[in-house]
């Protein structure tokens, strides 16, 4: 019987350890930037959420589109109303997986490749992008920079303002994770 | 012993479920629901001539030009005035500015089309409530007020509305509650209880006129919409009858317009029976009728700058 208990306790601990693989970030920083001859557009949000599973290498990002802040308020309104249509498609979501994930339980900086699907403006598109994951004191931080082509997500720019908005915008994400409780 | 065994098994199962839960489901549980504001009930701070519930955002400057041409048809319209285009009924040029995301102020110069001309306007609008997407707040409510002073030369005739015995005779005011709801992406409706007070009016006219306005927008595409605006002034029957007998019948202002947004600019192309642009005049003093071809086209141009 004693052996049985030890076995079960061991199982329990193993599971507890497994749960510690999941890390979350409630204030994921996202920003995007587009440079054109007319004007630079950049917007940031720190209201993204993200989760990572160190064991399986699964990654998850989600941000409410209307949390992006612009320097020009009118741009923000146009972004939400005309381009991203945030009342219809309120979130941008990325679900992905690290390609051949390293052992992220060890401290260090890892260049990884991420495979996944970005759902934005009602359109799903596959992405394979590079990211950097830094683990310090067992806590991971993820950084990535990648390009999104607006046409891929059916975001239409009217010809009248086409000079003001780049066709490709550079997206930056940064998440500092803490262990999921 | 069996109990402990079951208990432990139970614990294992619980933990197991937790670990196997997808990251997505995990984050869903974490999500804090907020009351998101409904944006862009209207594209501009005006529906047509009257105000919409929208205010300028903080540090935004709106340069506005509004123009009403002459009668399109009827006695004064037609080909001889190129359907009113050769005449201008009223012109307004204004700068408006957002002090906070909820409070805007403005100054404007309007030619004026009514008893008084050469009008200088100071205005303020405050957004009291903002409709939220989850209907936590079902309506947007804004308060608007202006004060208008006429710079025209006083009439010599003491019974005229434009005879100014004192400086205060040049003043008029509008107070308005703007109650709006965006029903869908394409439909916004608004009610506008309004009080116009004019310090000096002509014989049998009223200093205070309460009016109920209604307006709406129906969007055809992302950038093109149809606008409608109507005001019903509650003027006393006596006063109405008097003006009718004088041959200066009063009508209720009705305007329709097209809204075209091009990113930074909002153009309104409008048709309405009122000659005046300011509430202080078009609500109590609209004397032309759609049915007699006395409607005019006009435009509003708004250019917003972020300072």
């Amino acid at each position: 019987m004693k052996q049985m208990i030890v076995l079960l306790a061991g199982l329990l601990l193993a599971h507890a350890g497994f749960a510690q693989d999941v890390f979350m970030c409630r204030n994921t920083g996202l920003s995007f930037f587009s440079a054109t001859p007319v004007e630079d557009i950049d917007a940031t949000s720190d209201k993204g959420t993200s989760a990572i599973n160190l064991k399986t290498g699964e990654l998850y990002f989600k941000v409410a589109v209307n949390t992006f802040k612009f320097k020009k308020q009118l741009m923000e309104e146009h972004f939400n109303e005309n381009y991203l249509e945030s009342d219809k498609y309120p979130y941008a979501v990325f679900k992905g997986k690290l390609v051949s994930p390293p052992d992220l339980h060890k401290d260090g900086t890892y260049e990884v490749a991420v495979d996944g699907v970005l759902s934005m403006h009602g359109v799903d598109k596959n992405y394979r992008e590079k990211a950097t994951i830094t683990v310090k004191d067992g806590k991971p931080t993820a950084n990535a920079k990648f390009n999104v082509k607006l046409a891929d997500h059916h975001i239409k720019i009217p010809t009248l303002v086409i000079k003001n908005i780049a066709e490709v915008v550079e997206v930056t994400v940064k998440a500092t994770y803490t262990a999921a409780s | 012993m069996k109990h402990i065994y079951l208990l432990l098994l139970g614990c294992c199962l619980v933990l197991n479920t937790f670990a196997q839960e997808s990251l997505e489901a995990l984050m869903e549980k974490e999500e804090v629901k907020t009351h998101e504001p409904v944006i862009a009930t209207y594209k501009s701070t005006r529906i047509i001539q009257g105000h919409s519930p929208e205010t300028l955002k903080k540090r935004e400057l709106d340069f506005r030009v509004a123009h009403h041409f002459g009668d399109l048809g009827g006695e004064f319209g037609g080909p001889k005035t190129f359907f009113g285009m050769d005449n201008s009924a009223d012109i307004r040029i204004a700068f408006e500015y957002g002090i906070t995301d909820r409070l805007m102020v403005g100054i404007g110069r309007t030619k004026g089309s009514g008893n008084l001309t050469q009008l200088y306007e100071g205005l303020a609008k405050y957004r009291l409530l903002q409709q939220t997407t989850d209907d936590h707040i079902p309506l947007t409510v804004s308060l608007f007020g202006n004060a208008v002073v006429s710079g025209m030369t006083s009439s010599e005739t003491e019974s005229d509305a434009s005879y100014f015995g004192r400086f205060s005779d040049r003043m008029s005011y509008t107070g308005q509650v703007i109650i709006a709801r965006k029903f869908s992406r394409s439909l916004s409706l608004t009610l506008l209880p309004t009080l116009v007070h004019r310090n000096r009016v002509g014989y049998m006219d009223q200093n205070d006129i309460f009016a109920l306005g209604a307006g709406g927008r129906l969007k055809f595409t992302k950038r093109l919409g149809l606008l409608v605006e109507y005001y019903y002034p509650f003027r006393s029957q006596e006063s109405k009858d008097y003006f009718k007998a004088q041959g200066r019948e009063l009508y209720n202002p009705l305007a329709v317009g097209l809204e075209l947004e091009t990113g930074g600019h909002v153009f309104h192309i409008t048709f309405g029976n009122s000659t005046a642009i300011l509430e202080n005049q078009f609500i109590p003093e609209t004397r032309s009728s759609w049915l007699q071809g006395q409607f005019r086209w006009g435009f509003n141009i708004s250019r917003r700058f972020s300072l």
Side-chain angles (χ1 to χ4, degrees):
Chain A
M1 207 65 232
K2 225 175 198 171
Q3 278 164 329
M4 182 73 110
I5 293 169
V6 170
L7 185 74
L8 281 170
L11 254 173
L12 238 172
L13 282 172
H15 276 299
F18 187 68
Q20 280 308 108
D21 287 333
V22 178
F23 283 76
M24 296 196 305
C25 174
R26 292 179 189 86
N27 52 353
T28 304
L30 294 105
S31 62
F32 62 82
F33 178 77
S34 97
T36 67
V38 182
E39 58 187 340
D40 292 345
I41 297 170
D42 59 311
T44 56
S45 169
D46 58 358
K47 302 254 163 54
T49 55
S50 177
I52 186 167
N53 187 325
L54 297 191
K55 191 166 186 186
T56 62
E58 279 175 282
L59 257 177
Y60 179 78
F61 283 95
K62 183 177 184 179
V63 63
V65 171
N66 64 8
T67 59
F68 278 97
K69 294 290 163 223
F70 290 68
K71 278 201 200 83
K72 293 187 178 179
Q73 295 265 15
L74 202 59
M75 275 184 191
E76 197 172 307
E77 188 171 306
H78 293 155
F79 172 75
N80 281 296
E81 202 199 2
N82 297 336
Y83 300 119
L84 272 287
E85 302 178 84
S86 63
D87 51 348
K88 223 191 218 167
Y89 313 108
Y91 298 104
V93 177
F94 178 80
K95 281 182 229 173
K97 220 170 166 11
L98 301 184
V99 182
S100 56
D103 183 3
L104 293 169
H105 292 286
K106 283 189 207 141
D107 281 8
T109 303
Y110 307 94
E111 298 290 333
V112 292
V114 184
D115 242 341
V117 177
L118 175 66
S119 306
M120 190 168 81
H121 195 235
V123 180
D124 290 357
K125 193 187 172 270
N126 283 304
Y127 283 81
R128 175 178 273 228
E129 300 295 340
K130 286 197 185 79
T132 310
I133 295 178
T134 309
V135 185
K136 207 185 163 198
D137 304 327
K139 283 181 187 169
T141 305
N143 283 290
K145 197 173 262 193
F146 59 98
N147 289 327
V148 172
K149 203 174 164 197
L150 298 181
D152 285 347
H153 291 277
H154 298 173
I155 298 163
K156 289 192 196 84
I157 309 298
T159 45
L160 211 60
V161 292
I162 208 138
K163 283 198 209 89
N164 303 33
I165 297 167
E167 286 169 64
V168 175
V169 296
E170 186 184 70
V171 178
T172 309
V173 276
K174 183 181 166 64
T176 306
Y177 296 97
T178 48
S181 48
Chain B
M1 211 66 233
K2 221 173 195 176
H3 290 257
I4 293 174
Y5 178 78
L6 279 175
L7 187 73
L8 282 169
L9 188 68
C11 282
C12 281
L13 281 172
V14 167
L15 280 168
N16 219 352
T17 355
F18 176 71
Q20 279 179 358
E21 208 169 29
S22 76
L23 295 178
E24 187 178 358
L26 187 72
M27 295 313 287
E28 296 272 292
K29 281 199 296 195
E30 284 287 314
E31 231 168 75
V32 187
K33 294 274 178 260
T34 52
H35 307 299
E36 291 300 330
V38 168
I39 59 158
T41 305
Y42 291 92
K43 286 273 190 206
S44 142
T45 57
R46 302 302 197 285
I47 300 177
I48 293 180
Q49 304 161 78
H51 278 265
S52 80
E54 302 291 342
T55 55
L56 297 172
K57 301 292 182 339
K58 191 177 179 177
R59 285 201 290 275
E60 247 188 355
L61 180 74
D62 188 10
F63 172 64
R64 300 188 67 90
V65 179
H67 194 117
H68 281 180
F69 289 95
D71 291 2
L72 208 85
E75 197 186 336
F76 303 107
K80 63 180 180 288
T81 62
F82 199 66
F83 305 95
M85 271 182 78
D86 293 345
N87 300 327
S88 71
D90 202 353
I91 304 160
R92 177 178 187 267
I93 293 174
F95 288 97
E96 298 173 4
Y97 182 73
I99 292 177
T100 70
D101 283 352
R102 286 173 178 269
L103 177 67
M104 62 174 264
V105 293
I107 48 168
R109 170 58 157 81
T110 308
K111 178 167 102 77
S113 176
N115 287 329
L116 308 185
T117 54
Q118 298 179 13
L119 308 176
Y120 297 88
E121 181 199 17
L123 69 90
K125 181 156 66 173
Y126 181 72
R127 192 150 36 80
L128 198 64
L129 288 177
Q130 172 92 52
Q131 186 187 344
T132 61
T133 48
D134 59 354
D135 273 343
H136 179 69
I137 302 173
L139 299 167
T140 299
V141 178
S142 297
L143 306 174
F144 161 73
N146 77 4
V148 172
V149 59
S150 164
M152 71 188 286
T153 314
S154 173
S155 162
E156 302 278 307
T157 317
E158 225 167 292
S159 59
D160 278 358
S162 55
Y163 175 84
F164 308 124
R166 291 163 301 180
F167 179 77
S168 64
D169 289 344
R170 298 171 176 272
M171 303 288 294
S172 66
Y173 309 89
T174 301
Q176 191 170 55
V177 184
I178 306 160
I179 305 160
R181 181 170 164 83
K182 190 176 186 178
F183 287 91
S184 70
R185 287 163 66 80
S186 55
L187 182 68
S188 302
L189 293 176
T190 305
L191 270 182
L192 303 121
T194 311
L195 183 71
V196 176
H197 174 84
R198 294 169 296 165
N199 276 351
R200 180 169 175 87
V201 292
Y203 178 66
M204 284 301 280
D205 205 344
Q206 290 172 235
N207 290 101
D208 286 300
I209 288 191
F210 177 74
L212 186 63
R217 180 185 69 172
L218 184 67
K219 270 168 77 173
F220 302 126
T221 69
K222 272 189 211 170
R223 291 180 175 77
L224 184 69
L226 176 74
L227 303 162
V228 183
E229 187 183 86
Y230 177 74
Y231 280 87
Y232 185 90
F234 294 91
R235 185 181 271 278
S236 74
Q237 196 56 50
E238 266 186 299
S239 177
K240 276 190 220 168
D241 291 345
Y242 172 78
F243 283 114
K244 193 170 180 179
Q246 288 257 306
R248 296 191 295 147
E249 198 170 348
L250 292 155
Y251 297 92
N252 302 338
L254 168 69
V256 292
L258 278 179
E259 175 185 75
L260 185 66
E261 190 249 310
T262 60
H265 291 80
V266 179
F267 295 109
H268 286 170
I269 295 162
T270 67
F271 291 90
N273 59 332
S274 62
T275 51
I277 290 170
L278 290 184
E279 282 85 352
N280 308 43
Q281 296 196 314
F282 77 74
I283 292 175
E285 297 178 52
T286 291
R287 296 189 193 278
S288 38
S289 160
W290 272 90
L291 297 177
Q292 292 160 35
Q294 294 165 334
F295 59 96
R296 65 218 65 257
W297 74 282
F299 59 78
N300 294 332
I301 296 173
S302 154
R303 178 68 172 110
R304 281 157 79 163
F305 301 92
S306 290
L307 298 185

